[in-house]
């Protein structure tokens, strides 16, 4: 099958081409340390709306705005002392902060989905950081897949979901961490609430909340492979594609050594394999609810609903 969307290397030449496409309001899939993102300039309504159209994304689901540094982020949102501390300690990195949006912030209305808050991140991936330096505008960039389906951790995953719907795919190889960023809302009181567990291990003092949709990844059904998913499986049924972990064998294994970081990196790749397999269902071995296992299980529960 011939690809309709060009896939090019995330080298200097590719980054320049991507920056030109973004400047003109185009859509570019870009590698990050978490998952591949679908980027568009965040300061133009038409560009941001094209993200929603390409993904089939509900318009009440806000986007994460990616910026080059904390100083740039502070021009768009109100940073409390607690938020500044988190940003200084963990940016660049897989942490997204949800903060009060500044009045008059020069961003498209749709990035906030009508909310008074803004989700901001300074990514760590060298290609994404280089791209932000080439652009004199911030980038809105949710995961580069059709809404509700499995997130992409390779350029090929992006093409399988969005081929022909976007302008360009930058291939930076497989994503290092393989799970989306942790999203933390910092309230006016200074209270910190996890809206989505992710690749960043939040401190235990941070409260977990079940608030309404304030950030990506909070929909009850998400990351779905398009077929039934059975959790806590130790032996597959005849019609199941088995995803193993540790000593529990399978058609693919998240980590034979029981390494949760490796499991996170392999999670979406295994789910993609399961989605493409001839088996009618997917079974997944138990994953410990510790460290990044909390985020893995969050994704699995949403995929299984």
């Amino acid at each position: 099958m011939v690809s309709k969307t060009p896939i090019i290397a995330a080298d200097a030449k590719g980054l320049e081409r991507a920056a030109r496409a973004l400047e003109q309001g185009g859509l570019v899939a870009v590698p990050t340390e978490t998952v591949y993102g679908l980027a568009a300039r965040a300061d133009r309504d038409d560009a941001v709306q094209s993200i929603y159209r390409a993904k089939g994304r509900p318009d009440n689901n806000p986007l994460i705005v990616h910026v080059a540094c904390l100083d740039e982020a502070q021009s768009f949102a109100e940073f409390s002392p607690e938020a500044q501390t988190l940003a200084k300690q963990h940016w660049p990195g897989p942490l997204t902060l949800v903060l009060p949006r500044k009045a008059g912030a020069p961003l498209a209305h749709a990035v906030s989905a009508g909310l008074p808050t803004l989700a901001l991140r300074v990514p760590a991936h060298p290609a994404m950081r280089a791209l932000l330096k080439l652009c004199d505008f911030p980038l809105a960039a949710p995961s580069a897949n059709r809404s509700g389906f499995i997130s992409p951790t390779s350029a090929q995953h992006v093409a399988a979901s969005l081929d022909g719907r976007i302008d360009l795919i930058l291939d930076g190889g497989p994503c290092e961490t393989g799970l989306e960023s942790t999203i933390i809302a910092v309230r006016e009181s200074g209270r910190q609430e996890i809206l989505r567990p992710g690749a960043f291990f939040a401190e235990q003092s941070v409260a977990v909340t079940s608030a309404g949709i304030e950030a990506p990844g909070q929909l009850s059904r998400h990351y779905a492979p398009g077929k039934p998913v059975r959790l806590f499986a130790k032996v597959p049924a005849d019609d199941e594609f088995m995803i193993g972990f540790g000593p529990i064998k399978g058609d693919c294994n998240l980590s034979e050594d029981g390494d949760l970081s490796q499991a996170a990196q392999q999670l979406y790749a295994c789910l993609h394999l399961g989605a493409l397999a001839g088996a009618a269902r997917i079974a997944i071995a138990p994953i410990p609810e510790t460290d990044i296992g909390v985020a893995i299980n969050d994704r699995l529960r949403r995929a299984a609903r």
Side-chain angles (χ1 to χ4, degrees):
M1 179 177 171
V2 178
S3 176
K4 298 177 182 177
T5 299
I7 302 176
I8 64 173
D11 54 17
K13 184 177 179 180
L15 289 166
E16 288 281 358
R17 181 174 171 183
R20 290 196 299 271
L22 290 164
E23 184 177 14
Q24 295 166 8
L27 292 176
V28 178
V30 295
T32 79
E33 70 274 24
T34 56
V35 299
Y36 274 70
L38 181 57
R41 56 186 305 162
D43 60 344
R44 275 180 46 177
D45 287 311
D46 58 339
V48 172
Q49 289 295 343
S50 68
I51 292 177
Y52 284 91
R53 288 195 300 272
K55 285 175 61 71
R57 185 182 180 93
D59 60 10
N60 67 336
N61 198 358
L63 306 177
I64 296 174
V65 176
H66 292 67
V67 294
C69 62
L70 174 57
D71 285 347
E72 185 179 359
Q74 288 178 314
S75 68
F76 300 127
E78 302 288 351
F79 276 73
S80 65
E82 293 82 5
Q84 287 191 17
T85 297
L86 282 171
K88 289 175 181 177
Q89 288 179 342
H90 303 293
W91 279 354
L95 171 65
T96 294
L97 295 178
V98 171
L99 305 167
R101 177 170 171 158
K102 277 190 172 179
L107 294 170
H109 178 74
V111 296
S112 295
L115 297 169
T117 53
L118 185 65
L120 287 163
R121 183 163 96 88
V122 177
H125 193 286
M128 184 61 160
R129 293 189 60 75
L131 183 60
L132 284 165
K133 287 183 180 179
L134 289 172
C135 299
D136 59 358
F137 43 82
L139 296 176
S143 57
N145 58 291
R146 297 298 299 274
S147 183
F149 291 89
I150 308 167
S151 297
T153 54
S154 72
Q156 290 68 37
H157 292 163
V158 177
S161 183
L162 294 176
D163 186 35
R165 303 176 68 89
I166 63 177
D167 298 294
L168 192 65
I169 300 171
L170 279 179
D171 189 351
C175 297
E176 181 180 356
T177 59
L179 279 185
E180 296 85 355
S181 62
T182 300
I183 301 180
I184 296 180
V186 183
R187 308 303 186 189
E188 291 183 8
S189 64
R191 176 181 171 85
Q192 301 168 18
E193 296 181 349
I194 298 176
L195 302 184
R196 179 181 72 186
F200 164 74
F201 301 161
E203 290 83 356
Q204 302 234 340
S205 59
V206 176
V208 179
T209 181
S210 58
I213 296 175
E214 295 182 80
Q218 290 187 283
L219 296 174
S220 60
R221 181 167 175 81
H222 204 16
Y223 317 107
K227 59 181 65 173
V229 174
R230 181 168 66 95
L231 306 182
F232 312 112
K234 295 185 178 180
V235 179
D238 291 342
D239 64 344
E240 289 180 326
F241 178 93
M242 182 68 191
I243 298 176
F245 177 73
I248 299 178
K249 306 300 181 183
D251 297 289
C252 69
N253 196 300
L254 295 173
S255 173
E256 292 184 358
D257 297 328
D259 184 309
L260 287 173
S261 293
Q262 184 181 22
Q265 187 181 43
Q266 295 296 324
L267 176 63
Y268 291 140
C270 283
L271 283 174
H272 277 282
L273 288 175
L276 294 172
R281 300 185 297 158
I282 297 173
I284 303 174
I287 305 297
E289 191 83 9
T290 58
D291 293 329
I292 203 169
V294 173
I296 295 172
N297 283 313
D298 169 78
R299 305 306 189 271
L300 292 176
R301 284 189 291 269
R302 296 175 195 272
R305 288 178 179 170

